[in-house]
Amino acid sequence: QVVARVLPFMVNALVTRRLTPEEMGVATIHYALVLSITLNSREGFRRASVRGADAAAPGDKGSQGTTTDRQALLVSSLSIPLGILIGLATWVLALNLRSDSQGEAYMLGMKLHVIGACLELSIEPLYVLAQRQLMLPLRVTSETLATLLRCCTTYYFVLHRATHPAVAFGYAQIAYAAAMAVVYLGYYLPSLPLFNASQGGTWFSSDLMNLSASFTVQAFWKLVLAEGEKAALMAYGAADTQGVYGLISNLGSLLVRVVLAPFEESAFLAFSRTQAVGGVTDDSLVLMRGQARLLALLVKLASLGGLVVAAYGSNYSYLLIRILYGTQWSDNTDASSVLGLYSVYVLILAVNGITEAFVHSMSTAAQLRAQNKWLLFFSLVSLALGVYFQHVLGAAGIIAANSVTMVLRICYSSLLIRQHFSKLPEGANMRLWFPPAAVLATLGVIWTTTMGTCWLFQSMVSEVRLAPGMVHVLIGILGLTVFALSVWNFDQHFCEQLSALRRGRPLYADAVEKKET
């Protein structure tokens, strides 16, 4: 999956060198917002169907019965007509709000993106089925082929056919959705469990539908939180500011798409399974300690990775922008400083992804509805801060506003986690979430050293291109090695737990065995 992301990323870097900031803004802000709005219709159905209504707490209405694959297929298929309606509404709205500067190529690109999103939605039930059956190879294969095809399509139409970038990106989205559909239909169509009479039970689960509705409302507010700044940027931001933010959002979110998103989905699935086990043993304190250990391990892992990205991002952003996109972006825009700020945002995203995955996996439908009210509040705060900071700081202001909102969400999730573990004498024991002080001090020294080599590189880059850059990179590699050794030396228990989890042994396995004995 990493290869499938990195290779297209490198090819897209070649395409970006041919685009102006204004053209980049159209592809990464306007069209990306349309895709997010249309595809967001599936998120609530996806999360509920993968989790299952039977994972609710004992005594909750959603805890009766077991969610079958057939029920999950039928409920998740409702996202298809909902997404098509949203896509058509988005297209009509774009037609009515189009400006004089948005010509026929812009509108054709918009239409192609809506069609591609609807085509991708058509195989959503099969994606849910693959997730329920833990078919990771199928997901990796489909995403790899689809991503590579989208990348090659963009490269072909922009560089060889001299097609307008807006239309080229639209063709690429169609190619991506078609590849996903071919892989999933080819694998599942001969053996769909929809009409398998041996499953028994009801065909439709109202409990699962209620859970999907709660998750869908939550997904809507998350969409406002995540994409509200793009709407504000389209309405109030200059074209070049849109291009810079779009470039940095794509570059910075590479780590988010490759590592954080799959990591969060896997964490949600793992937490959901510990919750289901805990329900059988009647609120066992032993099992709750296993949940606390798993949560602490994943939060610490996310924070360590995020700290490395934050420390290195601020000092290596200029070098990265210059290598990938040339001096047009590194010297003539504020892309380097915005990328440095985004690297700090990645740290906050990583921690929030794990804490919210835990909260959502443990919440009942009623608790999810209560959480949605807070998400509404966070959405309004995010929009207000985004509009204000954008006027003051430009593209960097949007990232700063998102960071503040994400910190508020982490604080809210932490309060819910404390409540969940309140039955334990030691509570949630959040001290285990943080790396040891010696590890943080080591990273601080590395950050200070690389900041000095970064200053050296930027001051000499106009005279000598290779030598200062090589020194800067070598110091960074040495720093990563020292940091890894510090983690191993000062937090061996964390390394042992991580090794056990990597071997496929859940941290709560011992707790389950002791409880059964």
Side-chain angles (χ1 to χ4, degrees):
Q1 209 171 18
V2 171
V3 173
R5 298 291 188 182
V6 172
L7 182 59
F9 166 75
M10 299 305 295
V11 177
N12 285 336
L14 298 176
V15 174
T16 304
R17 286 175 172 265
R18 302 288 189 94
L19 302 179
T20 64
E22 292 77 10
E23 293 172 337
M24 191 67 184
V26 168
T28 57
I29 301 296
H30 297 223
Y31 294 161
L33 183 60
V34 171
L35 285 176
S36 298
I37 293 174
T38 306
L39 295 177
N40 186 68
S41 61
R42 68 188 180 185
E43 294 304 318
F45 295 94
R46 172 181 291 185
R47 177 149 288 194
S49 299
V50 170
R51 167 180 157 167
D54 52 295
D60 187 75
K61 292 182 179 181
S63 62
Q64 300 175 358
T66 301
T67 301
T68 63
D69 289 342
R70 184 172 61 192
Q71 291 172 340
L73 278 171
L74 289 174
V75 171
S76 60
S77 64
L78 297 177
S79 64
I80 300 175
L82 177 61
I84 292 175
L85 288 175
I86 294 176
L88 291 176
T90 305
W91 165 245
V92 172
L93 184 63
L95 280 176
N96 294 329
L97 297 180
R98 62 182 297 185
S99 62
D100 296 334
S101 60
Q102 297 169 344
E104 294 300 324
Y106 174 88
M107 297 309 300
L108 177 58
M110 181 77 72
K111 181 189 298 185
L112 291 173
H113 276 80
V114 171
I115 295 174
C118 294
L119 180 58
E120 187 176 345
L121 279 172
S122 66
I123 50 101
E124 178 61 21
L126 302 182
Y127 176 90
V128 167
L129 184 60
Q131 287 290 90
R132 288 175 59 86
Q133 297 177 348
L134 301 180
M135 290 295 299
L136 181 60
L138 177 62
R139 176 184 171 183
V140 172
T141 300
S142 62
E143 291 184 357
T144 300
L145 294 176
T147 303
L148 289 175
L149 185 58
R150 175 168 59 186
C151 173
C152 294
T153 303
T154 306
Y155 182 85
Y156 173 75
F157 280 104
V158 172
L159 271 68
H160 292 283
R161 293 295 299 272
T163 307
H164 193 283
V167 180
F169 283 112
Y171 289 149
Q173 184 60 35
I174 294 288
Y176 176 88
M180 292 282 288
V182 168
V183 173
Y184 275 94
L185 289 174
Y187 184 86
Y188 273 120
L189 199 56
S191 58
L192 277 181
L194 184 60
F195 301 104
N196 187 355
S198 62
Q199 287 194 22
T202 60
W203 282 61
F204 189 80
S205 172
S206 58
D207 295 328
L208 184 60
M209 188 61 201
N210 291 333
L211 189 63
S212 299
S214 297
F215 273 127
T216 298
V217 174
Q218 194 173 77
F220 171 77
W221 294 122
K222 280 190 172 184
L223 175 69
V224 176
L225 278 169
E227 306 294 345
E229 75 276 359
K230 291 183 179 179
L233 198 58
M234 288 177 59
Y236 303 107
D240 57 342
T241 301
Q242 295 181 27
V244 170
Y245 178 78
L247 177 76
I248 299 307
S249 180
N250 272 3
L251 178 59
S253 64
L254 177 66
L255 179 64
V256 176
R257 296 192 302 269
V258 173
V259 179
L260 296 187
F263 185 43
E264 180 182 344
E265 290 181 8
S266 300
F268 176 79
L269 183 59
F271 292 144
S272 297
R273 293 193 166 199
T274 63
Q275 194 270 352
V277 174
V280 175
T281 56
D282 196 17
D283 294 330
S284 168
L285 297 181
V286 177
L287 287 170
M288 289 187 71
R289 287 192 177 93
Q291 291 177 352
R293 289 199 299 270
L294 179 60
L295 175 62
L297 175 67
L298 295 183
V299 171
K300 184 182 288 187
L301 180 60
S303 61
L304 284 172
L307 283 169
V308 171
V309 173
Y312 276 78
S314 58
N315 294 330
Y316 285 84
S317 57
Y318 176 82
L319 176 62
L320 185 62
I321 294 293
R322 189 182 181 92
I323 292 175
L324 291 177
Y325 307 116
T327 56
Q328 174 189 1
W329 292 92
S330 64
D331 297 340
N332 299 327
T333 68
D334 60 344
S336 300
S337 59
V338 176
L339 179 59
L341 182 60
Y342 194 96
S343 64
V344 179
Y345 179 54
V346 168
L347 166 62
I348 304 173
L349 276 177
V351 175
N352 177 75
I354 300 302
T355 56
E356 286 197 345
F358 182 84
V359 170
H360 295 166
S361 65
M362 299 294 156
S363 301
T364 64
Q367 291 170 337
L368 287 172
R369 287 191 290 270
Q371 294 166 20
N372 290 340
K373 297 177 182 179
W374 280 100
L375 272 179
L376 170 60
F377 169 73
F378 295 142
S379 302
L380 296 176
V381 171
S382 178
L383 285 175
L385 291 178
V387 173
Y388 174 74
F389 284 160
Q390 175 190 310
H391 285 291
V392 178
L393 302 174
I398 298 178
I399 299 175
N402 289 341
S403 300
V404 172
T405 308
M406 205 64 64
V407 169
L408 293 177
R409 290 169 62 177
I410 292 175
C411 294
Y412 176 64
S413 298
S414 300
L415 291 176
L416 297 180
I417 290 171
R418 282 184 177 273
Q419 293 177 7
H420 177 79
F421 290 113
S422 60
K423 295 181 181 179
L424 292 176
E426 66 274 19
N429 201 8
M430 292 182 178
R431 294 189 303 273
L432 299 177
W433 290 14
F434 304 102
V439 174
L440 296 177
T442 302
L443 189 61
V445 172
I446 295 171
W447 177 79
T448 304
T449 305
T450 54
M451 182 173 62
T453 58
C454 177
W455 174 85
L456 175 68
F457 169 69
Q458 288 186 269
S459 63
M460 298 179 62
V461 70
S462 59
E463 302 174 5
V464 183
R465 292 181 178 273
L466 183 60
M470 289 297 296
V471 171
H472 190 35
V473 172
L474 290 176
I475 292 295
I477 295 174
L478 178 62
L480 279 177
T481 305
V482 173
F483 177 74
L485 291 175
S486 70
V487 174
W488 172 257
N489 185 56
F490 297 113
D491 203 352
Q492 290 189 1
H493 181 63
F494 165 76
C495 298
E496 292 170 358
Q497 285 188 314
L498 191 62
S499 177
L501 191 65
R502 184 177 179 274
R503 292 195 303 268
R505 180 175 178 80
L507 298 181
Y508 57 88
D510 294 337
V512 174
E513 292 171 2
K514 291 178 181 178
K515 186 65 180 177
E516 290 177 348
T517 302

